[in-house]
Amino acid sequence: MSAWCAAWPALVAACGVLVLPGLVVALAAGLRGIPALGLAPALSVTTVSVTAVVAGRLGVPFGMGVVALGAVVLSAAMVGVLALARSLGLRCPEARTVGHLPDLAGLGGAAVGGVCAAVAVARGIGRPDVFPQTFDAMFHLNAVWTALRGGDASSLTLGTVAAPERAAGFYPAAWHGVTVLVAQLSGAGVIVSASAVSVAIAGVVWPLGCVFLVRQTVGVRPGVLLAGGVLAAAFGATPHLLLSYGTLWPNALATVLLPAVLACAVTVLRVPEGGIGHGGPIEAPASWRTDELRAADLSLGRFRAGLVAVAVVPGMALAHPNAVLSAVLLVTVVALVSGWQWVARPRTSTARRVAVGVAALLLVSTELWVVAQSPVFAATRRTSWPARQGLAQAAGEWALSAPVRTPVPWLAAALVLVGCVTAWKRPSWRWLVLAHAAAGAAFVVVAGSDGPVSRTLSGPWYDDPFRLAALLGVTAVPLATVGLAHLADGVGDRAAASRWPERLVAAAAIGFVVVTGGVYTGSNTRVVATWYAGQGMVGSGEESLLRRLPELVPAGSTVAGNPWNGSVLSAPLGDRAALFPHLQGSWGPDRALVAADLSAAGSDPDVCPAVRRLRLGYVLSGPVSFWKGDWRQAAYRGLDVSRAPGFVPVASGGRLTLYRITAC
């Protein structure tokens, strides 16, 4: 871990970028304590990603200065909207605190869980300068390098990385913008900055969001908040899985924002009323029912929660659009349960019940259309991954909190099941069980079936069970917390007869979970390491050559090469632009010609003019070891110049040899 100690500037920068801009906005919106910290990362992502778009449109270089200005503007907007709401007579009371002890307990739990999750990610990666040799990682690393060098991290232009001849191309760039800022602030390279962001996502963003969700769902009891933070580190599916698999860094960032959004939705819809820790008609243990603990939304409020949720959505969409659909799925369950509870009241008129029913039908129909027919997800609906297991196995994996064969967190999984039973007995909490079941049903259908229903409904998630598996922790963490609280209270009530302090029993139970959280670190380390361990793209020899490019290739010169042989990494590893910065893309005529015929530069009169227009000076030639035989590799057959005249070898490393182009 000594290498990570040397990367502390990048780690500090990643935590700062993901928390501080949004915290300024949250405080301006009147939030305090856990709500402010829980929502800070989501507001930071909005600030960074939206500022990047605006800066790109204005031609202003992207950096921390413009992000700070963006935070000020968004903060002013929050203050203005709240003032306007009050002037119009809307209920928007000043934030109230429920005491320092719950906040301290929640932050303590988030710290313990965050350390466990961060250590798992850091150990799984190995060293901060190690990168996952996966298909998607090649694009993301090159996109960060391009944005860093060009000063443009806008989602409206990042797609041009794989389509260089286009003037614009959309690609959700929130993660890339965050990573660019980390590189700028710390001076670290692209790969180290990406690794630092992964550690911060797992160790800071995720546990803070989980504690906030537990607070708004389960209540502000200090022991509950402490347990919720610790349990955030228990599930390998979230957030560890997407930080390695794929590698789906943008999707991982978007997914860890879901707890904060769901917490706001729960507050707006007032589903917690009547639940444990909130008083009301549902019987609860006396230890949960004090004046201090009855209203977890005292420091948030419905209007403020809705306002902040609206501000968070753009950042989530610019991190990854499918997270918005994931949020809609979960929030729809909340809305339907809340609506059902409302219409079930004896005093509700028939007309209002009909209106609520029609609204629910329209809501669900609209969502189905967006998922199955909307042109927004037309491209992703064309993606298909064959099912690797049956429906029964997929259902079993979800029930054991171990989807896509992630390790089974036995104690945490048992707590989730206890939490499901406990929550189902309380009508105001049934939404949590149903939301967990809805996300699980989506995973089971996609993971266990290739049928028309799976293909129709899985478009936004690329028909990929891994992306849906990562939703598990959003509902599993609060359910496990409910389960633990129920067991601790039951033991405490029985122990009270023998004068054994209930609080000590609860503390012992929470302490056991803390220890277990540390144990889960090992299994979650293996989840992350799974896709960081491969060397299919480059080995140590090839990587050494690529890192020497700054001393071998003049600045400003572009390096050609079959991207599938590792030359795609010449920019993130060697700080020299790659002619083909992704394994596939929409290449213009000159690039297509070079890919097919560069080796014939000495005899084909069309090649050298294209080489000069592209400012090519060097080519990396060598065999492919990544996904051998993939049909897309044939497009680059002309880049094997090992036996062609007009190319002088400069240096070699592993399978690769760097040639200087002399034919032109």
Side-chain angles (χ1 to χ4, degrees):
M1 297 292 287
S2 59
W4 284 99
C5 294
W8 69 264
L11 293 170
V12 171
C15 295
V17 169
L18 285 167
V19 173
L20 294 182
L23 184 59
V24 171
V25 178
L27 294 175
L31 303 180
R32 299 294 183 268
I34 288 175
L37 289 169
L39 281 162
L43 290 169
S44 289
V45 172
T46 288
T47 303
V48 170
S49 57
V50 173
T51 299
V53 171
V54 174
R57 297 288 290 179
L58 297 178
V60 177
F62 177 72
M64 201 63 217
V66 296
V67 170
L69 179 59
V72 171
V73 172
L74 185 54
S75 297
M78 288 288 183
V79 172
V81 171
L82 289 171
L84 177 62
R86 293 191 186 101
S87 69
L88 295 175
L90 298 177
R91 293 187 60 187
C92 187
E94 294 293 333
R96 297 169 57 190
T97 180
V98 293
H100 297 299
L101 183 57
D103 284 346
L104 291 175
L107 293 179
V112 174
V115 168
C116 292
V119 168
V121 172
R123 287 180 175 175
I125 293 174
R127 300 191 321 271
D129 60 346
V130 173
F131 56 95
Q133 300 196 20
T134 59
F135 187 95
D136 287 40
M138 301 302 105
F139 171 83
H140 297 313
L141 294 174
N142 274 285
V144 172
W145 185 88
T146 301
L148 185 61
R149 291 296 178 270
D152 184 2
S154 171
S155 297
L156 302 181
T157 57
L158 196 75
T160 61
V161 170
E165 276 69 36
R166 296 180 184 173
F170 177 81
Y171 194 91
W175 177 88
H176 308 84
V178 169
T179 308
V180 165
L181 292 175
V182 172
Q184 290 177 342
L185 291 172
S186 67
V190 169
I191 294 172
V192 173
S193 298
S195 298
V197 171
S198 291
V199 173
I201 285 173
V204 177
V205 179
W206 174 247
L208 286 177
C210 287
V211 170
F212 178 41
L213 176 59
V214 167
R215 182 187 189 277
Q216 299 307 116
T217 301
V218 185
V220 294
R221 185 178 175 185
V224 168
L225 295 178
L226 175 63
V230 174
L231 286 166
F235 302 95
T238 323
H240 308 87
L241 186 63
L242 296 187
L243 292 174
S244 179
Y245 167 77
T247 296
L248 307 178
W249 288 314
N251 214 155
L253 175 60
T255 299
V256 298
L257 304 182
L258 287 171
V261 174
L262 187 57
C264 288
V266 170
T267 304
V268 170
L269 296 168
R270 291 197 184 280
V271 174
E273 291 185 350
I276 288 179
H278 302 275
I282 305 302
E283 283 299 318
S287 57
W288 290 67
R289 298 174 61 191
T290 67
D291 291 339
E292 180 184 339
L293 307 180
R294 281 180 183 170
D297 61 350
L298 285 178
S299 59
L300 191 57
R302 295 179 69 182
F303 182 84
R304 188 178 281 107
L307 173 63
V308 175
V310 170
V312 165
V313 169
M316 178 178 286
L318 294 178
H320 204 292
N322 75 16
V324 177
L325 267 295
S326 298
V328 168
L329 170 66
L330 298 174
V331 173
T332 296
V333 175
V334 180
L336 292 177
V337 173
S338 180
W340 172 258
Q341 290 177 349
W342 188 73
V343 300
R345 295 173 179 175
R347 296 181 180 180
T348 303
S349 66
T350 301
R352 289 185 176 182
R353 290 175 178 173
V354 171
V356 171
V358 171
L361 181 61
L362 289 175
L363 175 63
V364 174
S365 299
T366 301
E367 292 172 12
L368 289 174
W369 177 83
V370 170
V371 169
Q373 299 295 329
S374 169
V376 174
F377 296 101
T380 59
R381 279 195 293 269
R382 292 194 293 268
T383 305
S384 178
W385 292 94
R388 302 179 181 180
Q389 60 199 88
L391 292 171
Q393 180 179 344
E397 288 182 350
W398 189 267
L400 292 176
S401 299
V404 290
R405 297 179 177 84
T406 51
V408 180
W410 290 105
L411 175 59
L415 291 176
V416 171
L417 296 176
V418 173
C420 286
V421 175
T422 303
W424 188 256
K425 293 179 180 179
R426 294 171 169 83
S428 59
W429 278 6
R430 285 179 182 169
W431 71 266
L432 188 53
V433 182
L434 293 173
H436 190 67
F443 164 75
V444 169
V445 168
V446 173
S449 170
D450 291 321
V453 174
S454 172
R455 296 290 300 118
T456 300
L457 299 181
S458 63
W461 298 274
Y462 298 81
D463 192 35
D464 186 355
F466 285 86
R467 298 176 194 258
L468 288 163
L471 300 180
L472 176 120
V474 178
T475 48
V477 170
L479 281 170
T481 305
V482 169
L484 175 65
H486 174 76
L487 294 175
D489 277 328
V491 173
D493 289 343
R494 290 192 296 273
S498 59
R499 301 183 183 276
W500 188 259
E502 180 270 340
R503 291 181 179 179
L504 184 60
V505 175
I510 293 171
F512 181 60
V513 175
V514 171
V515 174
T516 304
V519 173
Y520 289 147
T521 300
S523 58
N524 292 337
T525 293
R526 292 190 291 275
V527 172
V528 178
T530 300
W531 288 275
Y532 270 88
Q535 289 191 328
M537 182 64 68
V538 296
S540 58
E542 294 82 13
E543 183 176 342
S544 177
L545 174 61
L546 291 169
R547 291 189 183 276
R548 291 176 55 204
L549 289 182
E551 63 187 63
L552 300 172
V553 178
S557 184
T558 302
V559 178
N562 183 341
W564 294 79
N565 68 10
S567 62
V568 67
L569 290 162
S570 62
L573 284 176
D575 198 29
R576 293 297 181 264
L579 184 64
F580 303 103
H582 192 28
L583 303 183
Q584 67 173 358
S586 178
W587 314 126
D590 284 349
R591 280 181 169 79
L593 176 62
V594 167
D597 293 319
L598 180 61
S599 59
S603 57
D604 188 335
D606 294 329
V607 174
C608 281
V611 167
R612 286 188 285 270
R613 286 191 293 268
L614 294 170
R615 300 181 65 183
L616 278 181
Y618 294 81
V619 58
L620 281 162
S621 184
V624 171
S625 64
F626 181 79
W627 293 11
K628 289 183 178 180
D630 190 288
W631 62 270
R632 290 166 289 189
Q633 298 169 9
Y636 307 100
R637 60 186 180 276
L639 294 168
D640 180 4
V641 300
S642 57
R643 300 181 181 179
F647 300 89
V648 177
V650 175
S652 297
R655 294 173 287 100
L656 296 180
T657 299
L658 178 69
Y659 292 87
R660 187 173 70 253
I661 301 174
T662 59
C664 301

